[in-house]
Amino acid sequence: MTEHIVSAFDAELKELGRKVVEMGGQAERLVADSVLSLIRRDSTMAQRVVLLDATIDHLQREIEDKAVLVIAKRQPMAVDLRDIVATLRISNDLERIGDLAKNVAKRVLAIESEYHPQKLVRGVEHMSDLVLEQMKEVLDAYAGRDAEKAMGVWRKDASVDTMYTSLFRELLTYMMEDPRNISVCTHLLFCAKNIERIGDHSTNVAETVYYMVTGQMITDTRPKADETSETTVAFPPRSVEG
Amino acid sequence: MTEHIVSAFDAELKELGRKVVEMGGQAERLVADSVLSLIRRDSTMAQRVVLLDATIDHLQREIEDKAVLVIAKRQPMAVDLRDIVATLRISNDLERIGDLAKNVAKRVLAIESEYHPQKLVRGVEHMSDLVLEQMKEVLDAYAGRDAEKAMGVWRKDASVDTMYTSLFRELLTYMMEDPRNISVCTHLLFCAKNIERIGDHSTNVAETVYYMVTGQMITDTRPKADETSETTVAFPPRSVEG
């Protein structure tokens, strides 16, 4: 390869990286706004989240098209190929995060006229604070090619899952105590599940960044503390530890 | 390109296609078995589904690696590139479908000792019959490069969503009538949601097949009849039409 071609290739890689960072920023904002619209009961904001998800979908297709063209045109060597494949995987996870934020926003619209149990809404907020921090960290890790930071995000996913499991129990208990809350709590349950899954996708991104930087997979077993698919709450409500 | 290279390339494309079909067959089986384990309350079968999901994940990585290598090595022209990108997208959707089936199976394990409201379990079964038919059709469409068949699957997704919406209402109503069912119904709600999402991923595959064969996107607006993120059920329970 001549130097000219090499630097054009470099520029293309950088451009792809910039697009991923841009997409990450947009996904972060959608997640933050979807939860804010829940807390503030702000339908206008929720509607905006629903609409804006399309721009993330669009960015993903753009990144995919571009990445594939770069691979076909440049026949990159192993290390650069890893970089481009990472781009594809991360944009995929970010697209899913956008979808999940959109779904939270739709549920905000569904329950806007109903009574919001503040304690439970706060529970969703706390979870999302942690998940947003994870997203921020992992996008920094991507931008700075920081495998250690990625590993840190990966390790912390278990705390998101723990919060979700405890919120799941609380929501179920709340429904049992007063069936009038079933409809609202069901939507909050799905909101919480969506946010937990946003955490999972951030963990996927962490794995991809680690692989991109080191060429190695994270070999530890993934910390998994969301036990709610195996969790039931007995009726009548026991302690939430039950 | 010499004829020798062309035919090696052809063989690689065919091999990729075979792997996607294999992955599709495995994903179908996991979905079928996860629902069967729910109906039969068969924990052994559910546990097997949870374990087998890993083989689908493995196939996806294999397809991704292979596809990227083929792109880098062969510098394919537009039409072949479309084919390989389709492979990447479809294996992505199939991997997600495997995850969703695994989640259904985990919930089967969670509620194994609880009372199963037969009517609602049947509701999940009916939904999954339709979704499995959609999966079968869309994998046939992929194997036969049949854009019309793919379009048929795409159009039928609305009926899955309609079934889900009605099941969602039923489950909520059931919970309100007897709070002892809240725990089981919550898991059934997530099962139903997972199956509805398997339907969505089949629709994604239909879009990809259509694009792969025709080079065009399906331009109609996607039929969307899952209204549950906007659905609430009032307490005390009204008619399920309410």
Side-chain angles (χ1 to χ4, degrees), chain B residues 17-66:
Chain B
R18 254 198 308 277
K19 285 233 179 280
V20 170
V21 170
E22 182 191 339
M23 200 182 163
Q26 292 198 13
E28 258 187 290
R29 205 152 41 241
L30 277 203
V31 174
D33 285 357
S34 69
V35 177
L36 207 57
S37 73
L38 172 68
I39 296 160
R40 295 192 188 156
R41 310 182 65 158
D42 184 337
S43 308
T44 314
M45 185 180 262
Q47 272 153 355
R48 205 170 51 226
V49 170
V50 172
L51 288 176
L52 279 178
D53 176 52
T55 64
I56 292 193
D57 293 351
H58 183 77
L59 263 172
Q60 192 221 353
R61 283 295 152 107
E62 223 181 275
I63 289 170
E64 190 185 69
D65 287 348
K66 181 91 189 154

Short mmCIF file of all heavy atoms in Angstrom, two decimals, chain B residues 17-66:
data_model
loop_
_atom_site.label_atom_id
_atom_site.label_comp_id
_atom_site.label_asym_id
_atom_site.label_seq_id
_atom_site.Cartn_x
_atom_site.Cartn_y
_atom_site.Cartn_z
N GLY B 17 -24.39 -19.45 3.61
CA GLY B 17 -25.84 -19.64 3.54
C GLY B 17 -26.28 -20.88 4.29
O GLY B 17 -27.27 -20.87 5.01
N ARG B 18 -25.49 -21.95 4.14
CA ARG B 18 -25.81 -23.20 4.85
C ARG B 18 -25.78 -22.98 6.36
O ARG B 18 -26.63 -23.49 7.09
CB ARG B 18 -24.80 -24.29 4.48
CG ARG B 18 -25.34 -25.36 3.53
CD ARG B 18 -24.49 -26.61 3.54
NE ARG B 18 -23.06 -26.35 3.32
CZ ARG B 18 -22.51 -26.19 2.09
NH1 ARG B 18 -23.26 -26.28 1.01
NH2 ARG B 18 -21.22 -25.94 1.98
N LYS B 19 -24.79 -22.24 6.81
CA LYS B 19 -24.67 -22.00 8.25
C LYS B 19 -25.87 -21.21 8.78
O LYS B 19 -26.35 -21.45 9.89
CB LYS B 19 -23.38 -21.23 8.58
CG LYS B 19 -22.14 -22.08 8.50
CD LYS B 19 -21.32 -21.97 9.79
CE LYS B 19 -20.08 -22.84 9.75
NZ LYS B 19 -20.34 -24.26 10.04
N VAL B 20 -26.33 -20.24 7.98
CA VAL B 20 -27.49 -19.45 8.40
C VAL B 20 -28.72 -20.35 8.49
O VAL B 20 -29.50 -20.26 9.46
CB VAL B 20 -27.75 -18.27 7.43
CG1 VAL B 20 -29.08 -17.61 7.72
CG2 VAL B 20 -26.61 -17.25 7.53
N VAL B 21 -28.90 -21.22 7.51
CA VAL B 21 -30.04 -22.13 7.52
C VAL B 21 -29.96 -23.06 8.73
O VAL B 21 -30.95 -23.29 9.43
CB VAL B 21 -30.12 -22.93 6.20
CG1 VAL B 21 -31.14 -24.05 6.30
CG2 VAL B 21 -30.46 -22.00 5.04
N GLU B 22 -28.76 -23.55 9.02
CA GLU B 22 -28.55 -24.41 10.19
C GLU B 22 -28.92 -23.66 11.47
O GLU B 22 -29.64 -24.17 12.34
CB GLU B 22 -27.08 -24.85 10.24
CG GLU B 22 -26.75 -25.79 11.39
CD GLU B 22 -25.24 -25.97 11.55
OE1 GLU B 22 -24.49 -25.72 10.57
OE2 GLU B 22 -24.81 -26.34 12.67
N MET B 23 -28.44 -22.43 11.56
CA MET B 23 -28.71 -21.61 12.74
C MET B 23 -30.22 -21.37 12.86
O MET B 23 -30.78 -21.41 13.96
CB MET B 23 -27.96 -20.28 12.57
CG MET B 23 -27.75 -19.54 13.84
SD MET B 23 -26.91 -17.95 13.50
CE MET B 23 -27.27 -17.13 15.06
N GLY B 24 -30.87 -21.11 11.73
CA GLY B 24 -32.31 -20.88 11.72
C GLY B 24 -33.06 -22.10 12.25
O GLY B 24 -33.99 -21.98 13.06
N GLY B 25 -32.64 -23.29 11.79
CA GLY B 25 -33.27 -24.52 12.25
C GLY B 25 -33.12 -24.69 13.76
O GLY B 25 -34.08 -25.04 14.47
N GLN B 26 -31.94 -24.39 14.27
CA GLN B 26 -31.71 -24.51 15.70
C GLN B 26 -32.54 -23.50 16.49
O GLN B 26 -33.06 -23.82 17.56
CB GLN B 26 -30.22 -24.32 16.01
CG GLN B 26 -29.37 -25.44 15.47
CD GLN B 26 -27.99 -25.48 16.13
OE1 GLN B 26 -27.77 -24.82 17.13
NE2 GLN B 26 -27.08 -26.23 15.56
N ALA B 27 -32.63 -22.28 15.96
CA ALA B 27 -33.41 -21.25 16.66
C ALA B 27 -34.89 -21.65 16.71
O ALA B 27 -35.55 -21.54 17.75
CB ALA B 27 -33.24 -19.91 15.97
N GLU B 28 -35.39 -22.15 15.57
CA GLU B 28 -36.78 -22.64 15.53
C GLU B 28 -37.03 -23.70 16.59
O GLU B 28 -38.02 -23.68 17.31
CB GLU B 28 -37.03 -23.30 14.17
CG GLU B 28 -37.80 -22.49 13.17
CD GLU B 28 -38.12 -23.35 11.96
OE1 GLU B 28 -37.20 -23.68 11.18
OE2 GLU B 28 -39.29 -23.70 11.78
N ARG B 29 -36.10 -24.64 16.67
CA ARG B 29 -36.26 -25.75 17.62
C ARG B 29 -36.26 -25.23 19.06
O ARG B 29 -37.05 -25.67 19.89
CB ARG B 29 -35.16 -26.79 17.40
CG ARG B 29 -35.55 -28.17 17.87
CD ARG B 29 -34.83 -29.27 17.09
NE ARG B 29 -33.43 -28.94 16.86
CZ ARG B 29 -32.86 -28.80 15.64
NH1 ARG B 29 -33.57 -28.96 14.55
NH2 ARG B 29 -31.59 -28.51 15.53
N LEU B 30 -35.38 -24.28 19.34
CA LEU B 30 -35.33 -23.73 20.70
C LEU B 30 -36.64 -23.04 21.06
O LEU B 30 -37.14 -23.19 22.18
CB LEU B 30 -34.19 -22.71 20.84
CG LEU B 30 -32.79 -23.21 21.12
CD1 LEU B 30 -31.97 -22.12 21.76
CD2 LEU B 30 -32.78 -24.45 22.00
N VAL B 31 -37.18 -22.28 20.11
CA VAL B 31 -38.45 -21.60 20.38
C VAL B 31 -39.55 -22.63 20.64
O VAL B 31 -40.28 -22.55 21.63
CB VAL B 31 -38.85 -20.66 19.22
CG1 VAL B 31 -40.23 -20.06 19.45
CG2 VAL B 31 -37.81 -19.56 19.04
N ALA B 32 -39.63 -23.61 19.75
CA ALA B 32 -40.66 -24.66 19.90
C ALA B 32 -40.52 -25.37 21.24
O ALA B 32 -41.50 -25.57 21.98
CB ALA B 32 -40.57 -25.65 18.75
N ASP B 33 -39.28 -25.74 21.58
CA ASP B 33 -39.07 -26.48 22.83
C ASP B 33 -39.33 -25.63 24.06
O ASP B 33 -39.82 -26.14 25.08
CB ASP B 33 -37.63 -27.03 22.88
CG ASP B 33 -37.46 -28.22 21.96
OD1 ASP B 33 -38.47 -28.64 21.35
OD2 ASP B 33 -36.34 -28.73 21.84
N SER B 34 -39.01 -24.35 23.99
CA SER B 34 -39.25 -23.50 25.17
C SER B 34 -40.75 -23.43 25.46
O SER B 34 -41.17 -23.53 26.62
CB SER B 34 -38.65 -22.10 24.97
OG SER B 34 -39.35 -21.38 23.98
N VAL B 35 -41.56 -23.31 24.40
CA VAL B 35 -43.00 -23.22 24.61
C VAL B 35 -43.57 -24.58 25.02
O VAL B 35 -44.43 -24.67 25.90
CB VAL B 35 -43.72 -22.68 23.35
CG1 VAL B 35 -45.22 -22.67 23.55
CG2 VAL B 35 -43.21 -21.28 23.03
N LEU B 36 -43.04 -25.64 24.41
CA LEU B 36 -43.49 -26.98 24.78
C LEU B 36 -43.17 -27.26 26.25
O LEU B 36 -43.97 -27.86 26.97
CB LEU B 36 -42.76 -28.00 23.89
CG LEU B 36 -43.49 -29.32 23.64
CD1 LEU B 36 -44.86 -29.07 23.03
CD2 LEU B 36 -42.66 -30.21 22.70
N SER B 37 -42.02 -26.80 26.71
CA SER B 37 -41.66 -27.04 28.11
C SER B 37 -42.61 -26.28 29.04
O SER B 37 -42.89 -26.72 30.15
CB SER B 37 -40.20 -26.66 28.38
OG SER B 37 -40.03 -25.26 28.39
N LEU B 38 -43.13 -25.15 28.56
CA LEU B 38 -44.12 -24.40 29.34
C LEU B 38 -45.43 -25.18 29.42
O LEU B 38 -46.02 -25.34 30.49
CB LEU B 38 -44.36 -23.02 28.70
CG LEU B 38 -45.52 -22.20 29.28
CD1 LEU B 38 -45.20 -21.75 30.71
CD2 LEU B 38 -45.80 -20.96 28.41
N ILE B 39 -45.88 -25.66 28.26
CA ILE B 39 -47.16 -26.36 28.20
C ILE B 39 -47.12 -27.65 29.02
O ILE B 39 -48.03 -27.97 29.76
CB ILE B 39 -47.53 -26.66 26.74
CG1 ILE B 39 -47.74 -25.34 25.99
CG2 ILE B 39 -48.77 -27.53 26.64
CD1 ILE B 39 -47.63 -25.47 24.51
N ARG B 40 -46.02 -28.38 28.85
CA ARG B 40 -45.90 -29.67 29.54
C ARG B 40 -45.33 -29.56 30.94
O ARG B 40 -45.19 -30.57 31.61
CB ARG B 40 -44.96 -30.58 28.73
CG ARG B 40 -45.48 -30.96 27.37
CD ARG B 40 -44.60 -32.09 26.83
NE ARG B 40 -44.92 -32.40 25.46
CZ ARG B 40 -44.07 -32.98 24.61
NH1 ARG B 40 -42.85 -33.30 25.03
NH2 ARG B 40 -44.42 -33.25 23.38
N ARG B 41 -44.96 -28.36 31.34
CA ARG B 41 -44.28 -28.16 32.62
C ARG B 41 -43.09 -29.11 32.73
O ARG B 41 -42.94 -29.81 33.73
CB ARG B 41 -45.26 -28.35 33.78
CG ARG B 41 -46.53 -27.55 33.57
CD ARG B 41 -47.48 -27.70 34.71
NE ARG B 41 -46.92 -27.14 35.93
CZ ARG B 41 -47.64 -26.75 36.97
NH1 ARG B 41 -48.95 -26.86 36.93
NH2 ARG B 41 -47.08 -26.26 38.03
N ASP B 42 -42.28 -29.11 31.70
CA ASP B 42 -41.17 -30.05 31.61
C ASP B 42 -39.85 -29.32 31.89
O ASP B 42 -39.26 -28.69 31.01
CB ASP B 42 -41.17 -30.67 30.20
CG ASP B 42 -40.10 -31.73 30.02
OD1 ASP B 42 -39.10 -31.71 30.77
OD2 ASP B 42 -40.26 -32.57 29.11
N SER B 43 -39.39 -29.43 33.15
CA SER B 43 -38.19 -28.69 33.55
C SER B 43 -36.94 -29.18 32.85
O SER B 43 -36.02 -28.39 32.56
CB SER B 43 -37.96 -28.82 35.05
OG SER B 43 -39.13 -28.49 35.73
N THR B 44 -36.88 -30.48 32.59
CA THR B 44 -35.70 -31.02 31.91
C THR B 44 -35.55 -30.39 30.54
O THR B 44 -34.47 -29.98 30.12
CB THR B 44 -35.81 -32.54 31.78
OG1 THR B 44 -36.25 -33.07 33.04
CG2 THR B 44 -34.50 -33.16 31.40
N MET B 45 -36.67 -30.33 29.83
CA MET B 45 -36.66 -29.72 28.51
C MET B 45 -36.27 -28.23 28.60
O MET B 45 -35.47 -27.73 27.80
CB MET B 45 -38.03 -29.87 27.85
CG MET B 45 -38.10 -29.38 26.43
SD MET B 45 -39.76 -29.61 25.72
CE MET B 45 -39.53 -31.13 24.81
N ALA B 46 -36.82 -27.54 29.59
CA ALA B 46 -36.51 -26.12 29.76
C ALA B 46 -35.01 -25.92 30.02
O ALA B 46 -34.38 -25.02 29.47
CB ALA B 46 -37.34 -25.53 30.90
N GLN B 47 -34.47 -26.80 30.87
CA GLN B 47 -33.03 -26.69 31.15
C GLN B 47 -32.19 -26.92 29.90
O GLN B 47 -31.17 -26.26 29.70
CB GLN B 47 -32.63 -27.72 32.23
CG GLN B 47 -32.79 -27.17 33.64
CD GLN B 47 -33.05 -28.26 34.66
OE1 GLN B 47 -33.20 -29.43 34.31
NE2 GLN B 47 -33.11 -27.87 35.92
N ARG B 48 -32.64 -27.83 29.07
CA ARG B 48 -31.90 -28.09 27.83
C ARG B 48 -31.90 -26.87 26.92
O ARG B 48 -30.89 -26.53 26.29
CB ARG B 48 -32.48 -29.31 27.11
CG ARG B 48 -31.47 -30.00 26.22
CD ARG B 48 -31.96 -31.33 25.69
NE ARG B 48 -33.27 -31.22 25.10
CZ ARG B 48 -34.28 -32.07 25.34
NH1 ARG B 48 -34.11 -33.09 26.16
NH2 ARG B 48 -35.45 -31.91 24.75
N VAL B 49 -33.05 -26.20 26.85
CA VAL B 49 -33.13 -24.98 26.03
C VAL B 49 -32.12 -23.95 26.54
O VAL B 49 -31.40 -23.32 25.75
CB VAL B 49 -34.56 -24.39 26.06
CG1 VAL B 49 -34.59 -23.00 25.44
CG2 VAL B 49 -35.54 -25.31 25.33
N VAL B 50 -32.07 -23.78 27.87
CA VAL B 50 -31.15 -22.79 28.46
C VAL B 50 -29.71 -23.11 28.04
O VAL B 50 -28.95 -22.22 27.64
CB VAL B 50 -31.29 -22.78 30.00
CG1 VAL B 50 -30.19 -21.91 30.63
CG2 VAL B 50 -32.67 -22.25 30.40
N LEU B 51 -29.35 -24.39 28.07
CA LEU B 51 -27.99 -24.78 27.70
C LEU B 51 -27.71 -24.64 26.21
O LEU B 51 -26.66 -24.16 25.80
CB LEU B 51 -27.73 -26.25 28.11
CG LEU B 51 -27.58 -26.49 29.61
CD1 LEU B 51 -27.44 -27.98 29.88
CD2 LEU B 51 -26.36 -25.72 30.15
N LEU B 52 -28.69 -25.04 25.40
CA LEU B 52 -28.47 -25.09 23.95
C LEU B 52 -28.33 -23.71 23.31
O LEU B 52 -27.79 -23.57 22.21
CB LEU B 52 -29.58 -25.87 23.25
CG LEU B 52 -29.42 -27.39 23.30
CD1 LEU B 52 -30.61 -28.07 22.62
CD2 LEU B 52 -28.12 -27.81 22.61
N ASP B 53 -28.81 -22.68 24.00
CA ASP B 53 -28.70 -21.34 23.42
C ASP B 53 -27.24 -21.01 23.09
O ASP B 53 -26.96 -20.30 22.12
CB ASP B 53 -29.30 -20.30 24.37
CG ASP B 53 -29.11 -18.89 23.84
OD1 ASP B 53 -29.47 -18.65 22.67
OD2 ASP B 53 -28.58 -18.04 24.58
N ALA B 54 -26.31 -21.54 23.87
CA ALA B 54 -24.88 -21.25 23.64
C ALA B 54 -24.42 -21.69 22.25
O ALA B 54 -23.57 -21.04 21.63
CB ALA B 54 -24.03 -21.92 24.71
N THR B 55 -24.99 -22.78 21.74
CA THR B 55 -24.56 -23.25 20.41
C THR B 55 -24.99 -22.25 19.33
O THR B 55 -24.31 -22.08 18.32
CB THR B 55 -25.14 -24.64 20.07
OG1 THR B 55 -26.56 -24.54 19.98
CG2 THR B 55 -24.79 -25.66 21.13
N ILE B 56 -26.12 -21.59 19.56
CA ILE B 56 -26.56 -20.57 18.59
C ILE B 56 -25.64 -19.35 18.65
O ILE B 56 -25.25 -18.80 17.62
CB ILE B 56 -28.03 -20.18 18.88
CG1 ILE B 56 -28.93 -21.39 18.56
CG2 ILE B 56 -28.45 -18.96 18.07
CD1 ILE B 56 -30.39 -21.06 18.49
N ASP B 57 -25.29 -18.95 19.86
CA ASP B 57 -24.35 -17.83 20.00
C ASP B 57 -23.04 -18.14 19.29
O ASP B 57 -22.46 -17.28 18.61
CB ASP B 57 -24.03 -17.57 21.49
CG ASP B 57 -25.24 -17.05 22.24
OD1 ASP B 57 -26.27 -16.75 21.59
OD2 ASP B 57 -25.18 -16.96 23.48
N HIS B 58 -22.61 -19.37 19.44
CA HIS B 58 -21.35 -19.79 18.83
C HIS B 58 -21.45 -19.73 17.30
O HIS B 58 -20.55 -19.22 16.63
CB HIS B 58 -21.04 -21.20 19.30
CG HIS B 58 -19.73 -21.69 18.79
ND1 HIS B 58 -18.54 -21.29 19.34
CD2 HIS B 58 -19.42 -22.52 17.76
CE1 HIS B 58 -17.54 -21.86 18.67
NE2 HIS B 58 -18.05 -22.62 17.71
N LEU B 59 -22.57 -20.22 16.76
CA LEU B 59 -22.76 -20.17 15.31
C LEU B 59 -22.74 -18.74 14.79
O LEU B 59 -22.21 -18.45 13.73
CB LEU B 59 -24.10 -20.82 14.94
CG LEU B 59 -24.06 -22.28 14.50
CD1 LEU B 59 -25.49 -22.81 14.35
CD2 LEU B 59 -23.33 -22.41 13.15
N GLN B 60 -23.34 -17.83 15.58
CA GLN B 60 -23.36 -16.45 15.12
C GLN B 60 -21.96 -15.87 14.98
O GLN B 60 -21.62 -15.23 13.99
CB GLN B 60 -24.17 -15.56 16.07
CG GLN B 60 -24.45 -14.19 15.44
CD GLN B 60 -24.31 -13.06 16.42
OE1 GLN B 60 -24.13 -13.27 17.62
NE2 GLN B 60 -24.38 -11.84 15.92
N ARG B 61 -21.12 -16.12 15.99
CA ARG B 61 -19.74 -15.62 15.93
C ARG B 61 -19.00 -16.22 14.73
O ARG B 61 -18.25 -15.56 14.04
CB ARG B 61 -18.99 -15.94 17.24
CG ARG B 61 -19.36 -15.00 18.38
CD ARG B 61 -18.92 -13.58 18.06
NE ARG B 61 -19.73 -12.57 18.70
CZ ARG B 61 -19.35 -11.82 19.74
NH1 ARG B 61 -18.15 -11.97 20.23
NH2 ARG B 61 -20.15 -10.90 20.25
N GLU B 62 -19.26 -17.50 14.51
CA GLU B 62 -18.63 -18.19 13.39
C GLU B 62 -19.03 -17.55 12.06
O GLU B 62 -18.18 -17.29 11.19
CB GLU B 62 -19.11 -19.64 13.42
CG GLU B 62 -18.05 -20.69 13.18
CD GLU B 62 -18.68 -22.08 13.20
OE1 GLU B 62 -18.83 -22.64 14.31
OE2 GLU B 62 -19.06 -22.59 12.13
N ILE B 63 -20.33 -17.28 11.92
CA ILE B 63 -20.82 -16.67 10.67
C ILE B 63 -20.24 -15.28 10.50
O ILE B 63 -19.80 -14.90 9.42
CB ILE B 63 -22.37 -16.63 10.68
CG1 ILE B 63 -22.93 -18.05 10.51
CG2 ILE B 63 -22.90 -15.71 9.59
CD1 ILE B 63 -24.43 -18.16 10.73
N GLU B 64 -20.19 -14.53 11.59
CA GLU B 64 -19.66 -13.17 11.51
C GLU B 64 -18.19 -13.19 11.08
O GLU B 64 -17.80 -12.47 10.15
CB GLU B 64 -19.80 -12.48 12.87
CG GLU B 64 -19.50 -10.99 12.82
CD GLU B 64 -19.53 -10.37 14.21
OE1 GLU B 64 -18.63 -10.67 15.03
OE2 GLU B 64 -20.43 -9.58 14.47
N ASP B 65 -17.39 -14.02 11.74
CA ASP B 65 -15.97 -14.10 11.40
C ASP B 65 -15.77 -14.48 9.94
O ASP B 65 -14.99 -13.86 9.22
CB ASP B 65 -15.27 -15.17 12.27
CG ASP B 65 -15.11 -14.71 13.70
OD1 ASP B 65 -15.33 -13.50 13.96
OD2 ASP B 65 -14.79 -15.54 14.57
N LYS B 66 -16.50 -15.50 9.54
CA LYS B 66 -16.39 -16.02 8.17
C LYS B 66 -16.82 -14.94 7.15
O LYS B 66 -16.14 -14.72 6.15
CB LYS B 66 -17.29 -17.25 8.06
CG LYS B 66 -17.28 -17.92 6.72
CD LYS B 66 -16.23 -19.00 6.66
CE LYS B 66 -16.10 -19.49 5.21
NZ LYS B 66 -14.78 -20.05 4.93
#
